[in-house]
Amino acid sequence: MSGEDGCEVEDWDFGPWHQPTMGVELLTGDGARFSAVWGSSFEHYGLELFLQPITAHLVRIGEPGGSAEVDVTDHFRWSSLIDRKLTRADIVWSEDREGGIRLPVAIRLCSKERTVWIAAGRPVDWPPGDVYHLGTDDVMVVFTPEFAAKAGIPVSGVWE
């Protein structure tokens, strides 16, 4: 959040992608909560997925200078995942880096209607331009295969 009082929600909706920055919380039909946040468990920034609410990983949610809480239940980009059964969930691993460290840079969630990628990544420039980096201390959610490819997220090939 930004603004004079630290409570103004920063821009996060960029059409084919959203930038929740710190992470997202996913709620399942049976009440389980998953959190996808950036972290450094692999010695560099990657995406980490936890079977816990996001409050277990972020503090000051909704407080001045903290992270904003934004409900996207009714957002049209998310609607094809809301109340839908996931048909597939995969981890996207980075290519081998110097030193051989591979990072989980994204997860791919698929329903019959849509594929969505949640990734550790961000635009190189602000406002966002045409170049993006994966494996950063930000989270982005990508809604189209075209934008996933632009951001460097593999949209086909081997998934683990």
Side-chain angles (χ1 to χ4, degrees):
M1 295 193 287
S2 63
E4 284 188 31
D5 62 358
C7 291
E8 190 175 309
V9 177
E10 293 179 335
D11 290 340
W12 59 272
D13 186 346
F14 298 95
W17 69 285
H18 290 169
Q19 186 171 19
T21 305
M22 300 304 293
V24 296
E25 180 178 89
L26 305 170
L27 177 64
T28 66
D30 65 1
R33 292 181 186 273
F34 288 86
S35 296
V37 298
W38 61 267
S40 56
S41 292
F42 291 77
E43 298 182 20
H44 193 75
Y45 299 121
L47 189 74
E48 298 181 9
L49 186 64
F50 299 97
L51 181 54
Q52 297 171 316
I54 203 157
T55 54
H57 304 279
L58 299 181
V59 296
R60 300 180 53 212
I61 296 174
E63 296 178 15
S67 295
E69 184 175 6
V70 178
D71 185 346
V72 294
T73 304
D74 295 326
H75 193 285
F76 80 97
R77 294 276 186 191
W78 288 89
S79 64
S80 59
L81 286 178
I82 305 296
D83 292 330
R84 303 288 198 286
K85 180 179 180 178
L86 291 180
T87 58
R88 187 173 179 115
D90 301 297
I91 297 173
V92 181
W93 291 89
S94 68
E95 297 298 319
D96 287 334
R97 307 176 130 224
E98 282 185 34
I101 298 172
R102 292 180 67 217
L103 305 170
V105 294
I107 57 171
R108 179 178 72 162
L109 302 175
C110 304
S111 71
K112 287 182 182 179
E113 296 83 6
R114 168 141 358 227
T115 298
V116 173
W117 294 264
I118 302 172
R122 69 171 168 218
V124 170
D125 298 312
W126 200 260
D130 291 330
V131 181
Y132 297 81
H133 284 305
L134 296 178
T136 66
D137 60 347
D138 287 282
V139 173
M140 60 191 307
V141 181
V142 177
F143 297 98
T144 68
E146 296 81 14
F147 194 87
K150 180 178 182 176
I153 302 169
V155 294
S156 62
V158 178
W159 297 86
E160 297 183 31

